[in-house]
């Protein structure tokens, strides 16, 4: 881009970001006045952006990359052999697509294994096991004793209800059965409104003297597939074994209890936690030309649950990031800022890769101009969410409006992602890729999260959209305005 055009872009961006014209961050994005058209000088990027999207659709490798990861390392929970294979694949792939400065950055990760035994059986009047219900142990759960835990089921829909009925909970197996709220337009908000049951249910059940915890799977689908995910034990209570129950099984159990039946079940889990394992974040770059000290991060997470392929969560995000970088290289575009691809380890059960990246790069976070994460699946793009300050939000919206050829031209207020989350402490504006989310939680943390449930064209559109956004951000004459630093960096 020549200097005159740079100056014009600067002027347009400055003019379009009047701080009085936008609401505070907490306001819904619909209340932000729409720009009628993208800033004219940003239009200069449109042909490159459209060429990137076309390349992604016609000659793209998104699905091939995803297939390689899913088929060579399908079960890649932190600390597992699958995770080690995923790290090796990522390093190899970054080199093969032409990234520079490819390296492994160490992360010490937890190592939890599911074990051979997972069963939940309804007991008959004689105490004999009958109907078998579909469960998956929650990540991090302790095992049951040999022979399992046999007890009556108590059903609650909130921690408040559990506390109010604490006397009845003693000695029981508590089923947390509050569904994801179907009235929520945003499925991630519905998830956020229900997932406390998975994360804290076992500790809350322990606090009232229960013997084990069951959790309705975090999905709006009514089927017989249980969905796992991490729990976290409070230190002041004994850890209880805990498992996710399919939505149909949860409904069946809850209906019997609601009808007045005393339903006894036997839960058996043989999962275990092993010593921490040395693993890695995998990093590679397209070095900038001109303002290479400034860095645009794009990332997803390499680890995935030990069921299915981890195709949407987050194989798709890994494929998006790698393919976006490859597309930029394939088009011969030379970004002025450095584009850094980071495939994080341990998002699912610890986020230690996120913390390791933050701590390992503290001295250069001032030069991180933006961090973008793809961890919401590989469905048709809708746009992006961001925590950016109002001025940067307006700039980003003008840029995102260039992405209509990838169906990704909406920008709303929201988070970036778990892996890039710590960077907010240094004022880095965060952006999350947002595809359609209606079916995401049908697959999330479940054996249905397989390669065949990702559509190649939808995945490719996401890569094209991300490549387009990266291209513009990496070439803007001036970086986006940084966010205020809300929380000081922890002193260590
Ligand atoms: Zn994820």
């Amino acid at each position: 881009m020549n200097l005159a055009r740079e100056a014009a872009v600067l002027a347009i961006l400055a003019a379009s970001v009047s701080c009085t014209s936008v609401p505070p961050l907490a306001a819904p994005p619909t209340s932000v006045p729409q720009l009628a058209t993208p800033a004219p000088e940003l239009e200069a990027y449109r042909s490159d952006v459209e060429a990137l999207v076309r390349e992604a659709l016609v000659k793209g490798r998104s699905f091939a990359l995803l297939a390689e990861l899913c088929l060579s390392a399908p079960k890649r929970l932190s600390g597992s052999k699958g995770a080690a294979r995923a790290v090796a694949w990522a390093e190899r792939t970054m080199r093969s697509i032409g990234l520079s400065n490819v390296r492994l950055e160490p992360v010490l990760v937890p190592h939890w294994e599911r074990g051979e035994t997972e069963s939940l059986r309804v007991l008959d009047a004689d105490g004999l096991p009958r109907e078998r219900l579909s469960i998956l142990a929650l990540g991090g759960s302790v095992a049951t004793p040999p022979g399992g835990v046999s007890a009556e089921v108590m059903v609650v829909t909130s921690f408040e209800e559990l506390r109010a009925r604490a006397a009845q909970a003693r000695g029981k197996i508590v089923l947390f059965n509050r569904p994801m709220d179907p009235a929520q337009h945003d499925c991630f908000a519905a998830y956020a409104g229900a997932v406390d049951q998975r994360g804290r249910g076992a500790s809350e059940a322990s606090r009232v003297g229960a013997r084990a915890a069951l959790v309705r799977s975090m999905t709006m689908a009514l089927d017989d597939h249980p969905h796992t995910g991490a729990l976290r034990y409070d230190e002041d209570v004994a850890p209880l074994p805990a498992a996710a129950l399919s939505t149909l099984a949860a409904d069946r159990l809850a209906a019997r209890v609601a009808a007045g039946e005393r339903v006894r079940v036997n839960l058996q889990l043989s999962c275990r936690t092993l010593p921490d394992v040395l693993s890695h974040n995998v990093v590679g770059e397209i070095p900038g030309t001109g303002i290479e000290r400034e860095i645009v991060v794009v990332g997803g997470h390499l680890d995935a649950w030990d069921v299915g392929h981890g195709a949407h969560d987050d194989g798709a995000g890994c494929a998006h990031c790698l393919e976006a970088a490859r597309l930029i290289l394939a088009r011969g575009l030379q970004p002025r800022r450095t584009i850094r691809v980071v495939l994080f380890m341990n998002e699912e059960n610890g986020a230690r890769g996120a913390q390791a990246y933050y701590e390992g790069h503290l001295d250069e976070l001032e030069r991180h101009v933006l961090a973008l994460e793809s961890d919401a699946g590989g469905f048709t793009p809708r746009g992006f969410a961001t925590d950016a300050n109002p001025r940067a939000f307006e700039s980003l919206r003008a840029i995102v409006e260039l992405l209509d050829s990838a169906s990704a031209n909406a920008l709303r207020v929201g988070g970036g992602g778990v892996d890039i989350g710590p960077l907010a402490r240094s004022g880095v504006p965060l952006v999350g890729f947002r595809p359609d989310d209606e079916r995401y939680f049908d697959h999330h943390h479940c054996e249905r999260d397989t390669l065949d449930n990702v559509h190649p064209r939808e995945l490719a559109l996401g890569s094209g959209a991300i490549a387009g956004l990266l291209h513009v951000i990496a070439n803007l004459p001036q970086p986006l305005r940084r966010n205020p630093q809300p929380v000081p960096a922890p002193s260590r």
Side-chain angles (χ1 to χ4, degrees), residues 301 313-314 347-348 375 440 444-445:
H301 63 87
D313 185 15
D314 186 29
E347 189 271 352
E348 294 292 4
D375 185 18
Y440 180 66
H444 185 246
H445 299 181

